[in-house]
Amino acid sequence: MASRQADLSITRCASIWCEVARQAPRVQCLTNTVAQPITANLLLAAGARVSMATHPAEIAAMARGADAVLINLGTLDAAREAAVPLILAAMALAQQPLILDPVFVELSPVRLALARSIVARGPVIVRGNPSEVAALRAAVTPAQAMGSVWAVTGAVDAITDGVRTAHVANGHPWMTAVTGLGCAAGALVAACAAVEPDRLAAATTALLALGIAGERAAAFADGPGSFAVRLIDMLARLDAATFLDRARLS
Amino acid sequence: MASRQADLSITRCASIWCEVARQAPRVQCLTNTVAQPITANLLLAAGARVSMATHPAEIAAMARGADAVLINLGTLDAAREAAVPLILAAMALAQQPLILDPVFVELSPVRLALARSIVARGPVIVRGNPSEVAALRAAVTPAQAMGSVWAVTGAVDAITDGVRTAHVANGHPWMTAVTGLGCAAGALVAACAAVEPDRLAAATTALLALGIAGERAAAFADGPGSFAVRLIDMLARLDAATFLDRARLS
Amino acid sequence: MASRQADLSITRCASIWCEVARQAPRVQCLTNTVAQPITANLLLAAGARVSMATHPAEIAAMARGADAVLINLGTLDAAREAAVPLILAAMALAQQPLILDPVFVELSPVRLALARSIVARGPVIVRGNPSEVAALRAAVTPAQAMGSVWAVTGAVDAITDGVRTAHVANGHPWMTAVTGLGCAAGALVAACAAVEPDRLAAATTALLALGIAGERAAAFADGPGSFAVRLIDMLARLDAATFLDRARLS
């Protein structure tokens, strides 16, 4: 594990970040309607491509051809609920990375059951806030949890694969005042995982990029409205030099 | 009624406004997909918390634990239609405030029937434009209408509970050029009603806050796009002193 | 045809553009949830009115009373799928213009079948990117294609009715970095078609207006986030003089 551990450097993450724009992976996002616009805009700013199909009649085809797949459980509805097993079946044949955002699983038994079924299929990358991730980890067996990467975002993000743990200290308090930014973080994790097989490194790269863009955006913003706009600008302008200069990884 | 009438002062409204950020109520919004992002962002800017569940399988749980509930009839679909009676049943046990936004009821018989069933359950706070509120009031009995607070928004907003009437003169013409701002106003009414049992005072506070933020945003905007962004900023920065200085209530 | 050809001048298009704000047509948009906010905001900026109903129980009523109807196949779901034949039936009696945006038909057989059924009903105005339009034209007969106007957007937009072809050279590369702008272009085409029976002139006018606003917005933007905001501002401020000065039509 030592050599892989050493790989989790800022330099390595900056390189993964640049790969996203170079390869322009398509991320199929089954995500909530609140976060869809900012999620799509941040994926485009990163240089990725986006599809947001939800219909059971087309979701398998849209997932199978994608380079990574995000399942976000926000604004769950019957179509999204039906889409989850279809995505899992389609991806059993393909081998793209799968990212799960367990929005509000601590409040909704329906969402918790869906999230469990996705983790049980593992390995996945889970991106959530502390209460969501705690509720989900308590609902799966340790063996199921161990197969996946768990990214808990907050003032300092903590990302672990059960062996290695990374901490990302970049970010800004306004990030919790903009709806959908956490959800968009999951989509950026998917974009990075599409170009990088080391899932811990991919998740860490995405959270570093978003955090750095947030810090830079705050310098040009007067509140959470202008902050969200500038964040898109700054993510689109985030190059390797800025990434290397600003990343706070431990 | 005199003492309650006296309570509807700008000072009282400024105090209610500050309570929202202090208590951070969760507002469960069954609202349309067009207005979801700006509604969520304005609730967060006010210091409230947001959930936007629609699934019949989870809506009762999400509504029961919320501090206030908004039902907005825009982009009505089968799930939202099914969710309405489930919300009403869940709230019969709990006692949170319920806010209704009867979007386009004058164009859609399906929406009008739903809106009638909600008002009949009363008491609710209705927030709509003149043609929507006129269509709904014509569809319910005077006794049913009397139990609720009616807020008609326009160049001057008029809010009445059948006994008292307040007028809010704050605002800016660009507010009608930004999609979802009327819908977001309903959500802000819900956030204020979560912290203030006098529903007329709560509705008036929310419309004052949004109107003041709109006036301030217009000073920094070049059109409806930048206006919407600045409005979020200004609502997040709206403190008691500014509220007291700017509110135009009669 | 010569006299109609001559009509497709910049002066004629500027006049159509001003008609939109003067007549304020209502555009009923069956469109995807990702693009809904920016679509509605750009329609409002143009001076049009917006409705975005999707429910099969109300879509016929909402379409019948509209001045133009947009069907955009993004985020297709069961309700939107069911709504399409209801819209076509409702519009067989009325005679409003119908605009089709065949999002991702090249990736989804379900969407392609729906798009074919709409074109077969013709005449419609199709607005898509090159791969979408190519997939759809390959799926309909030449006779079916001939009855409609086809607008292919890109660095230079090409609009044809099979007899006349217009090219619009206005625009900016950031337009492809903002989610939903292509979809919003379709909605603006609908707004112009509501006030102008020559469908080629209507589509050309909308693409000129959006392209000019994009060029002006780029001068005030630092990236795709602020660009999207300024684009709304600039479309709202686009007057006849600017239109005449900036339009690049061939």
Side-chain angles (χ1 to χ4, degrees):
Chain A
M1 282 297 148
S3 64
R4 290 186 65 199
Q5 181 89 34
D7 274 357
L8 199 57
S9 65
I10 290 172
T11 308
R12 175 90 188 94
C13 291
S15 164
I16 295 170
W17 177 249
C18 294
E19 259 327 275
V20 172
R22 205 184 65 78
Q23 295 191 26
R26 176 162 70 84
V27 181
Q28 160 59 37
C29 304
L30 183 80
T31 192
N32 69 80
T33 50
V34 189
Q36 279 179 337
I38 196 163
T39 298
N41 279 323
L42 286 173
L43 281 173
L44 293 175
R49 291 171 297 138
V50 194
S51 63
M52 295 195 156
T54 60
H55 198 317
E58 64 179 6
I59 191 73
M62 297 295 266
R64 204 177 292 121
D67 299 299
V69 176
L70 169 71
I71 299 178
N72 173 301
L73 298 178
T75 64
L76 188 70
D77 57 20
R80 285 169 166 80
E81 197 177 5
V84 168
L86 297 172
I87 290 174
L88 296 184
M91 294 182 67
L93 305 173
Q95 288 294 337
Q96 310 102 318
L98 176 61
I99 285 73
L100 167 65
D101 194 326
V103 180
F104 277 152
V105 287
E106 76 277 28
L107 296 181
S108 166
V110 180
R111 297 187 192 188
L112 186 60
L114 267 179
R116 284 178 66 178
S117 74
I118 296 167
V119 172
R121 170 268 191 201
V124 300
I125 307 177
V126 178
R127 198 298 316 175
N129 66 32
S131 58
E132 292 161 351
V133 171
L136 180 53
R137 289 200 74 142
V140 298
T141 67
Q144 290 171 328
M146 192 64 74
S148 289
V149 168
W150 298 78
V152 181
T153 54
V156 172
D157 307 323
I159 310 106
T160 183
D161 62 4
V163 176
R164 300 170 293 166
T165 299
H167 292 95
V168 171
N170 295 97
H172 188 275
W174 275 334
M175 295 180 85
T176 60
V178 177
T179 200
L181 270 194
C183 303
L188 292 173
V189 169
C192 291
V195 304
E196 169 55 49
D198 180 346
R199 288 169 294 127
L200 183 76
T204 303
T205 298
L207 298 177
L208 282 169
L210 192 63
I212 295 167
E215 290 172 8
R216 303 195 74 205
F220 297 94
D222 295 314
S226 48
F227 174 74
V229 171
R230 290 296 194 155
L231 181 59
I232 299 169
D233 289 352
M234 290 301 172
L235 199 77
R237 302 170 70 137
L238 180 54
D239 56 20
T242 308
F243 197 109
L244 291 170
D245 185 45
R246 298 284 192 120
R248 286 184 284 153
L249 174 66
S250 60
Chain B
M1 281 296 144
S3 66
R4 291 187 64 199
Q5 180 87 36
D7 273 357
L8 198 58
S9 65
I10 290 172
T11 308
R12 176 90 187 95
C13 291
S15 164
I16 296 170
W17 177 248
C18 295
E19 256 334 271
V20 173
R22 206 184 64 78
Q23 296 191 26
R26 176 163 69 83
V27 181
Q28 161 59 36
C29 304
L30 182 80
T31 192
N32 68 80
T33 50
V34 190
Q36 281 180 334
I38 197 163
T39 298
N41 279 322
L42 286 172
L43 281 173
L44 293 174
R49 290 171 299 138
V50 193
S51 64
M52 295 195 155
T54 61
H55 197 317
E58 64 178 7
I59 192 73
M62 296 295 265
R64 205 177 291 122
D67 300 299
V69 176
L70 169 71
I71 299 178
N72 172 302
L73 298 178
T75 64
L76 188 70
D77 56 20
R80 285 170 166 80
E81 197 178 5
V84 168
L86 298 172
I87 290 174
L88 296 184
M91 294 183 66
L93 306 173
Q95 288 294 336
Q96 310 102 315
L98 177 60
I99 285 73
L100 168 65
D101 194 326
V103 180
F104 277 152
V105 288
E106 76 276 28
L107 296 181
S108 165
V110 179
R111 297 188 191 188
L112 186 59
L114 267 179
R116 285 179 64 177
S117 74
I118 297 167
V119 173
R121 170 269 191 199
V124 300
I125 307 177
V126 178
R127 197 298 314 173
N129 65 33
S131 57
E132 291 161 351
V133 171
L136 180 53
R137 289 199 76 140
V140 299
T141 66
Q144 290 170 327
M146 193 64 74
S148 290
V149 168
W150 299 78
V152 181
T153 54
V156 173
D157 308 322
I159 309 107
T160 184
D161 62 3
V163 177
R164 300 170 293 165
T165 299
H167 292 94
V168 171
N170 295 97
H172 189 275
W174 274 334
M175 296 180 84
T176 59
V178 177
T179 199
L181 270 193
C183 303
L188 292 173
V189 168
C192 291
V195 303
E196 170 56 49
D198 180 347
R199 289 169 293 128
L200 183 76
T204 303
T205 298
L207 298 177
L208 282 169
L210 192 62
I212 296 167
E215 290 173 6
R216 302 196 73 208
F220 297 93
D222 295 313
S226 47
F227 174 74
V229 170
R230 291 296 195 155
L231 180 60
I232 299 170
D233 289 351
M234 290 302 172
L235 199 78
R237 302 170 70 138
L238 180 55
D239 55 18
T242 308
F243 197 109
L244 292 169
D245 185 45
R246 299 284 191 121
R248 286 185 283 153
L249 175 67
S250 61
Chain C
M1 281 296 146
S3 65
R4 292 186 64 199
Q5 180 89 34
D7 273 356
L8 197 58
S9 65
I10 290 173
T11 308
R12 175 91 187 93
C13 291
S15 164
I16 295 170
W17 177 248
C18 295
E19 257 330 272
V20 172
R22 205 183 64 79
Q23 296 191 25
R26 176 163 68 83
V27 180
Q28 160 59 38
C29 304
L30 183 80
T31 191
N32 69 81
T33 50
V34 190
Q36 279 179 337
I38 197 163
T39 298
N41 280 323
L42 286 172
L43 281 173
L44 293 174
R49 290 172 298 138
V50 193
S51 63
M52 294 195 157
T54 61
H55 198 317
E58 64 179 6
I59 192 72
M62 296 295 267
R64 204 177 292 121
D67 300 298
V69 176
L70 168 71
I71 299 178
N72 173 301
L73 298 179
T75 65
L76 188 70
D77 57 20
R80 285 170 166 79
E81 197 178 5
V84 168
L86 298 172
I87 290 174
L88 297 184
M91 294 181 66
L93 305 173
Q95 289 294 336
Q96 311 100 318
L98 176 61
I99 286 73
L100 167 65
D101 194 326
V103 180
F104 277 152
V105 287
E106 75 276 29
L107 296 181
S108 166
V110 180
R111 297 188 191 187
L112 186 60
L114 268 179
R116 285 178 66 178
S117 74
I118 297 167
V119 172
R121 170 268 191 200
V124 299
I125 307 178
V126 178
R127 196 299 316 175
N129 66 33
S131 57
E132 291 161 350
V133 172
L136 180 53
R137 289 199 76 140
V140 299
T141 66
Q144 290 170 328
M146 192 63 76
S148 290
V149 167
W150 298 78
V152 180
T153 54
V156 173
D157 307 323
I159 310 106
T160 184
D161 62 3
V163 177
R164 301 170 294 166
T165 299
H167 292 95
V168 171
N170 295 97
H172 189 275
W174 274 335
M175 296 180 84
T176 60
V178 177
T179 200
L181 270 193
C183 303
L188 292 173
V189 168
C192 291
V195 303
E196 170 55 49
D198 179 347
R199 290 170 291 127
L200 183 77
T204 302
T205 297
L207 298 177
L208 281 169
L210 192 62
I212 295 167
E215 290 173 8
R216 303 196 73 207
F220 297 94
D222 295 314
S226 48
F227 174 74
V229 171
R230 291 296 195 156
L231 180 60
I232 298 170
D233 289 351
M234 290 302 173
L235 199 77
R237 302 169 69 139
L238 181 54
D239 56 18
T242 308
F243 197 108
L244 291 169
D245 185 44
R246 298 285 192 120
R248 286 185 282 151
L249 174 67
S250 60

